[in-house]
DNA sequence: CGTTTTTGACCGGCGC
DNA sequence: GCGCCGGTCAAAAACG
């Protein structure tokens, strides 16, 4: 991952919006200066609706963190991305973040619209290889009875990678694996090992192209990644910028 | 021996 | 209401 030179990152937004984002998300959001607006990518995969990023190779931790931060921010502040149908950024180093794109509405970010997506998906019928991201808001329903459902913001991105689990700087514990219909590859479920951190992520391979990995994050970390990087100090300035 | 993975059971939502 | 399906639990196994 050595030197992911994300120098020159300047915000696409004005300072006021930057500040607002920072207030909302608690994150500083650096935007690469070479971001462009590619044509709108069409993803037929329902699970990719919402926000997704396409990467040609495995993500460097920095790039993955950037993707998380940026996308989480987009989930939080969908309106600010309204003008930007897509975002494209590229990284040097280990991984390249080709494009970040979102479909209108941030469908997967907000629970109200999830059902709509499900219905439209179901109605499409046929041999669509799409598979939805299930409604998982009923966490611990039995234990906490009268607790209201809370929809955590989530986002996903697609990566060309040989390894399933991308190193994003966080520690994850696998808690489940499931074979989803019409796919030959199982879907894995991970939870952040940090105490009191309920962030989950799921990893699966794209049925159409097994070389592609779809990583879906749900929730946002309320802590820094617990990396055991030896030279974390040298990268700390970069890391701190992200987190 | 503490932590993580594996894996079938279980649960709730949804369509029929 | 029933069955399918995806998500989670949890006990046992595997790991280091």
């Amino acid at each position: 991952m050595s030197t992911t030179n994300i120098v020159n990152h300047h915000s696409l937004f004005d300072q006021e919006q930057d500040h607002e984002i920072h207030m909302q998300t608690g994150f500083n959001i650096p935007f690469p200066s070479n971001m462009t607006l590619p044509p709108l990518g069409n993803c037929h995969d329902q699970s990719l609706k919402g926000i997704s990023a396409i990467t040609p190779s495995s993500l460097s931790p920095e790039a993955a963190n950037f993707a998380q931060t940026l996308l989480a921010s987009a989930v939080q502040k969908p309106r600010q991305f309204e003008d930007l149908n897509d975002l494209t950024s590229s990284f040097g180093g280990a991984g390249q973040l080709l494009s970040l794109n979102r479909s209108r509405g941030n469908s997967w970010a907000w629970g109200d619209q999830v059902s709509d997506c499900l219905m439209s998906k179901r109605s499409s019928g046929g041999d669509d290889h799409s598979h939805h991201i299930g409604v998982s808001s009923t966490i611990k329903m039995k234990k906490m009875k009268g607790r209201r459902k809370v929809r955590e913001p989530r986002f996903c991105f697609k990566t060309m990678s040989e390894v399933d689990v991308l190193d994003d700087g966080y520690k994850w514990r696998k808690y489940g694996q499931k074979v989803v219909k019409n796919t030959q590859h199982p879907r894995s479920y991970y939870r952040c090992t940090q105490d009191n951190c309920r962030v989950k992520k799921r990893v699966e391979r794209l049925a159409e192209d097994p070389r592609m990995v779809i990583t879906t994050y749900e929730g946002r970390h309320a802590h820094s990644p617990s990396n055991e990087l030896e030279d974390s100090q040298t990268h700390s300035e970069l890391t701190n910028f992200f987190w």
Side-chain angles (χ1 to χ4, degrees):
Chain A
M1 40 144 163
S2 56
T3 54
T4 317
N5 39 3
I6 317 182
V7 288
N8 270 354
H9 38 38
H10 73 274
S11 176
L12 291 176
F13 307 131
D14 55 52
Q15 287 186 343
E16 200 171 308
Q17 287 172 316
D18 265 347
H19 182 67
E20 193 178 344
I21 288 180
H22 179 63
M23 289 293 103
Q24 284 279 335
T25 65
F27 299 142
N28 279 311
I29 313 295
F31 287 89
S33 57
N34 54 354
M35 226 176 226
T36 61
L37 303 179
L40 189 69
N42 49 347
C43 48
H44 16 280
D45 194 329
Q46 283 284 346
S47 69
L48 290 181
K49 282 198 171 179
I51 306 168
S52 65
I54 317 283
T55 68
S57 62
S58 64
L59 281 176
S60 67
E62 291 84 0
N65 286 346
F66 172 80
Q68 279 198 65
T69 310
L70 172 62
L71 294 172
S73 165
V75 168
Q76 292 266 330
K77 307 286 293 179
R79 224 171 264 112
Q80 297 190 359
F81 286 78
E82 211 59 60
D83 296 335
L84 314 171
N85 284 333
D86 285 351
L87 301 173
T88 288
S89 60
S90 62
F91 289 83
Q96 277 201 320
L97 197 57
L98 252 196
S99 70
L100 305 171
N101 57 68
R102 58 171 293 273
S103 66
R104 59 191 180 82
N106 276 319
S107 301
W108 295 105
W110 309 109
D112 302 339
Q113 300 167 13
V114 167
S115 51
D116 296 350
C117 278
L118 287 177
M119 296 202 314
S120 61
K121 175 248 173 182
R122 290 293 166 88
S123 59
S124 67
D127 66 324
D128 63 327
H129 304 289
S130 66
H131 35 274
H132 68 277
I133 295 186
V135 182
S136 61
S137 56
T138 57
I139 313 165
K140 300 285 195 313
M141 213 41 170
K142 48 190 178 185
K143 289 180 182 176
M144 41 183 74
K145 300 190 170 183
R147 200 60 67 87
R148 68 186 181 281
K149 301 179 183 180
V150 180
R151 160 70 64 220
E152 297 291 335
R154 50 184 165 182
F155 56 90
C156 65
F157 53 85
K158 195 165 57 176
T159 311
M160 180 89 76
S161 172
E162 291 160 9
V163 291
D164 287 0
V165 184
L166 308 172
D167 182 15
D168 51 15
Y170 287 94
K171 196 110 181 296
W172 302 92
R173 175 169 51 247
K174 189 174 184 177
Y175 69 90
Q177 176 168 310
K178 200 76 177 176
V179 273
V180 289
K181 216 183 172 191
N182 296 328
T183 61
Q184 59 270 36
H185 298 96
R187 173 184 297 169
S188 298
Y189 301 87
Y190 298 88
R191 193 192 306 277
C192 183
T193 57
Q194 193 83 17
D195 284 352
N196 297 330
C197 185
R198 299 200 142 280
V199 175
K200 287 173 285 189
K201 85 172 178 181
R202 101 190 84 215
V203 175
E204 66 188 289
R205 292 212 167 262
L206 194 58
E208 295 82 359
D209 187 358
R211 296 173 304 170
M212 305 297 289
V213 170
I214 303 174
T215 306
T216 305
Y217 288 94
E218 178 171 336
R220 295 206 345 270
H221 301 275
H223 59 92
S224 301
S226 58
N227 47 359
E228 63 275 71
L229 295 178
E230 337 71 38
D231 52 351
S232 61
Q233 277 316 96
T234 56
H235 294 316
S236 64
E237 109 185 33
L238 180 65
T239 306
N240 286 341
F241 201 87
F242 287 115
W243 302 98

